[in-house]
Amino acid sequence: MDGFFAQALVLLGATLILLPLFQRLGLGSILGYLAAGIAVGPLGLALISDGTHVLHFAELGVVLMLFLVGLELAPQHLWAQRRSLVGLGATQMVASALLLAAVFLSLGLDMRVSLAVGAILALSSTAFVIQMLVETNQLGTPHGRSAFSILLFQDVAVIPILLLLPVLAGTGSDEGGPQLLAGLLALAGMVAAGRYLLNPWLGWLAKLRNRELMSASALMLVLGAAALMEHLGLSMGLGAFVAGVLLANSPYREQLETDIQPFKGLLLGLFFLAIGMTMDLRLLLDFPGKIALYLVILLGTKALVLMVISRIRKATWRGTLLFGMLLSQGGEFAFVLLTQAVTLNLVDSTLAGQLNLVVALSMACTPLLLKAVAALWPEETRTPRPDLEEEAMPSHHPSVVIAGLGRFGQITARILVGRQIPFTALDSDPDEIDLLRRFGNEVYFGDVTRLDLLQNAGLEHARVLVLAIDDVEASMKTASLVQHHFPKVTIIARARDRNHAFRLRAQGVKLVVRETFESGLLSARLTLTELGVPESTALDLVRSFRALDERMLEEQIEHRDDHAKLLETSARGREELSALLKQDES
């Protein structure tokens, strides 16, 4: 099928048919995407003749994924994990590359070719591994963080591998030094821009209150960083990840994550589809023995290295096996590096085609291997023990979320800060955010009426939502969203006036605070004492009025739309109040 529109329909149709089936069978979404890609690709129904151009476009999904991962890792958290990043990553890369090179050398390949193949196959798939960890909620676990540390180091290791290939090909590396220097300068420039330019620019855009502009700026930021790195011959994902890390402490982090997330999901799915379409399964018929041997070598060698590392770190045997399987596949960057090796006449096209298929098959095998280990070796129920080798990462999901940090919400926030109780706060006023962050508060920009933003803010993990926004309709919409999607979260809602309180209580919000009610009661008590009324009497009067007014409010909620009934209850309330005050006076 020709044409973008027709191909999009084909890809969506295949996904909607096969993805639910694979998830229903418990095989996960990744295998579903791969199967859909094979089905519509050249070796399936041939509805799409060439998946290569789709793959190039879909690589943006990996770029966006790495940006979102970077947003979750503030620089101080990244620095706290430096031992894992360098120690784990370097050990895995060097050991895997040398061992793979030795195996391929023993199979008769040239020394230079063996070293190149070993270095290329030592890389694992960031897209596959992180997606599997996210689907199984294991990204924050010790082995999930260890896996991510290795993946991040591998992304950086792409730079020396790119410089190594021309040396092995015998074409020299005169451009290697300037290329590496340019990359370092670009990273330094990104750090400077992130510190001094990005937040003011995003703040200016936020004041325009245009959602499309914020989405466009988020995409421009990610793609610009990725394009800069690609232009310098480095990893696009590295640029996107660094951009995410630089904005991890930004007040606009939650909004950026919310805007990027839908694009990431679609493009990452398209990436897996494209991998399936580009798998040249005909090579299995031409070279079945070699493909099978290379696949076993790749999976077995990398799994062995990873398992040794895991055992040295005193992981359980089951965890060791799972860790080895998790990162045993080849990486998506292998396709790019193998193409580069062919261009340099270092690797012949036949071997490169075989290895491309081996990498793709290894990706497809990873979820199956993990499923097999989980099925054959069920996890024992036990008290979790912290990994002594892992630096603890702070929770990103405090138990309190404050929506709106104006004159009302910031009082709760300041008291929580004084008690050292962590909270996540959201506000849509950039000026208010800048002011409050100067006092040490963690405040983020965002529209709290958006469900995706509330999810990204971690509301599902919270116990309390302080709904302190000023706009009545936005308050009602947010309360409805929270009640429907986060029923276990207790809402403490600010009411601007009596009618707003009516609507909140009628909707089922039990803890409603009328913003002027308490101050009005205090004013009445002070007035009475200034007029000579004894303080104990003034306190009793105010307490009696509060009880009567709360009872009237409950009664009027039922008749809030009946004007005649409201007038009747109000008149009766005035009579009761008059009788009550006369009784106190006597």
Side-chain angles (χ1 to χ4, degrees):
M1 263 191 195
D2 296 326
F4 173 79
F5 185 74
Q7 290 184 358
L9 283 177
V10 168
L11 293 173
L12 285 172
T15 301
L16 290 175
I17 293 171
L18 291 175
L19 195 60
L21 175 62
F22 273 73
Q23 288 195 307
R24 184 74 174 175
L25 294 173
L27 298 175
S29 63
I30 293 176
L31 282 177
Y33 282 122
L34 289 174
I38 293 172
V40 301
L43 298 181
L45 300 174
L47 297 176
I48 298 178
S49 57
D50 181 17
T52 307
H53 65 284
V54 179
L55 179 60
H56 291 325
F57 176 72
E59 284 175 355
L60 293 177
V62 182
V63 169
L64 296 178
M65 178 190 67
L66 284 169
F67 174 74
L68 292 179
V69 171
L71 280 180
E72 296 298 323
L73 283 173
Q76 61 269 28
H77 300 154
L78 203 56
W79 178 251
Q81 297 182 79
R82 61 192 181 277
R83 284 193 301 161
S84 295
L85 285 172
V86 178
L88 276 176
T91 302
Q92 184 275 330
M93 272 299 301
V94 173
S96 296
L98 291 178
L99 197 54
L100 283 167
V103 173
F104 278 98
L105 182 63
S106 69
L107 293 175
L109 269 64
D110 181 77
M111 171 70 79
R112 296 177 299 114
V113 177
S114 298
L115 287 172
V117 170
I120 292 171
L121 296 184
L123 300 171
S124 303
S125 173
T126 301
F128 270 71
V129 174
I130 291 184
Q131 184 70 10
M132 284 187 289
L133 290 173
V134 169
E135 285 185 358
T136 55
N137 293 317
Q138 297 183 70
L139 189 57
T141 62
H143 78 270
R145 294 198 299 272
S146 297
F148 177 73
S149 297
I150 290 175
L151 291 170
L152 182 56
F153 185 88
Q154 288 180 358
D155 210 38
V156 177
V158 169
I159 302 171
I161 294 175
L162 281 168
L163 300 178
L164 175 67
L165 292 180
V167 176
L168 293 175
T171 59
S173 59
D174 293 339
E175 297 181 359
Q179 183 186 33
L180 183 59
L181 180 60
L184 293 174
L185 289 175
L187 288 174
M190 288 175 61
V191 171
R195 182 161 188 174
Y196 300 108
L197 297 178
L198 285 181
N199 280 330
W201 174 52
L202 291 171
W204 179 77
L205 286 177
K207 291 177 183 178
L208 300 178
R209 298 186 182 277
N210 186 314
R211 181 176 172 182
E212 288 74 21
L213 265 180
M214 286 296 289
S215 299
S217 66
L219 284 172
M220 182 65 184
L221 172 66
V222 182
L223 299 183
L228 175 62
M229 290 295 107
E230 185 185 36
H231 178 70
L232 297 171
L234 306 178
S235 166
M236 288 195 300
L238 177 62
F241 176 79
V242 172
V245 171
L246 294 177
L247 287 168
N249 287 326
S250 168
Y252 308 101
R253 186 190 78 189
E254 302 289 351
Q255 186 71 39
L256 290 170
E257 184 176 0
T258 301
D259 289 335
I260 290 291
Q261 195 76 270
F263 297 101
K264 185 271 291 184
L266 287 172
L267 289 172
L268 198 57
L270 187 60
F271 173 79
F272 297 135
L273 280 166
I275 291 291
M277 284 188 285
T278 53
M279 290 172 67
D280 191 356
L281 297 177
R282 288 171 298 190
L283 290 171
L284 276 175
L285 300 177
D286 299 334
F287 308 99
K290 273 193 173 182
I291 298 297
L293 178 62
Y294 291 166
L295 181 61
V296 171
I297 289 172
L298 172 60
L299 294 174
T301 303
K302 291 182 69 174
L304 177 62
V305 171
L306 289 160
M307 289 171 65
V308 169
I309 292 173
S310 186
R311 282 305 295 166
I312 290 174
R313 293 166 62 81
K314 304 190 185 314
T316 64
W317 278 109
R318 182 180 183 276
T320 295
L321 189 56
L322 285 172
F323 188 63
M325 296 296 104
L326 183 65
L327 292 163
S328 62
Q329 76 292 125
E332 53 273 355
F333 215 83
F335 302 128
V336 179
L337 291 170
L338 285 170
T339 302
Q340 179 76 4
V342 172
T343 303
L344 294 168
N345 294 319
L346 177 61
V347 176
D348 65 73
S349 57
T350 301
L351 177 59
Q354 294 169 355
L355 293 177
N356 275 328
L357 179 59
V358 167
V359 170
L361 288 173
S362 70
M363 293 178 181
C365 288
T366 304
L368 294 175
L369 290 171
L370 291 172
K371 283 283 181 186
V373 173
L376 297 174
W377 198 341
E379 185 175 10
E380 297 179 6
T381 304
R382 60 184 180 84
T383 304
R385 179 179 62 86
D387 193 328
L388 298 178
E389 296 294 324
E390 283 289 333
E391 292 87 359
M393 291 182 65
S395 171
H396 293 297
H397 303 297
S399 57
V400 179
V401 175
I402 303 177
L405 274 180
R407 55 188 171 82
F408 188 92
Q410 65 177 264
I411 295 174
T412 301
R414 288 165 64 187
I415 292 174
L416 292 178
V417 168
R419 290 289 297 176
Q420 296 183 337
I421 298 174
F423 62 88
T424 297
L426 302 168
D427 201 280
S428 58
D429 186 344
D431 293 329
E432 196 74 40
I433 289 171
D434 290 338
L435 175 64
L436 291 168
R437 282 175 72 89
R438 291 194 193 109
F439 291 94
N441 295 313
E442 288 298 321
V443 191
Y444 299 100
F445 175 83
D447 179 1
V448 297
T449 63
R450 292 175 58 180
L451 175 61
D452 48 2
L453 183 71
L454 294 174
Q455 290 170 332
N456 288 337
L459 189 57
E460 63 183 304
H461 304 281
R463 293 170 56 192
V464 177
L465 169 68
V466 179
L467 185 55
I469 54 179
D470 186 65
D471 186 272
V472 173
E473 295 306 319
S475 170
M476 297 304 302
K477 181 178 179 180
T478 305
S480 177
L481 279 174
V482 174
Q483 287 175 315
H484 181 69
H485 295 280
F486 311 99
K488 294 183 179 180
V489 176
T490 300
I491 301 175
I492 300 175
R494 162 198 186 182
R496 290 209 60 180
D497 50 35
R498 198 175 188 84
N499 183 58
H500 189 192
F502 280 161
R503 295 176 63 186
L504 286 167
R505 294 295 294 272
Q507 193 167 289
V509 180
K510 293 184 171 60
L511 302 178
V512 177
V513 181
R514 287 178 278 169
E515 64 177 37
T516 57
F517 188 58
E518 298 294 334
S519 55
L521 291 176
L522 176 60
S523 174
R525 180 169 66 83
L526 293 174
T527 301
L528 289 172
T529 54
E530 286 297 317
L531 293 174
V533 176
E535 184 153 356
S536 59
T537 303
L539 283 169
D540 288 339
L541 287 171
V542 168
R543 193 178 298 115
S544 300
F545 178 83
R546 179 208 292 274
L548 176 62
D549 190 78
E550 290 288 348
R551 183 163 54 81
M552 284 178 57
L553 182 66
E554 288 291 330
E555 187 177 343
Q556 289 175 337
I557 288 173
E558 186 179 348
H559 308 292
R560 66 188 183 282
D561 297 322
D562 188 335
H563 189 62
K565 278 284 188 184
L566 285 177
L567 288 176
E568 179 185 331
T569 55
S570 295
R572 189 168 66 251
R574 283 194 296 272
E575 291 174 2
E576 291 183 25
L577 178 61
S578 178
L580 183 66
L581 295 178
K582 286 180 181 178
Q583 179 183 354
D584 285 337
E585 185 178 355
S586 62

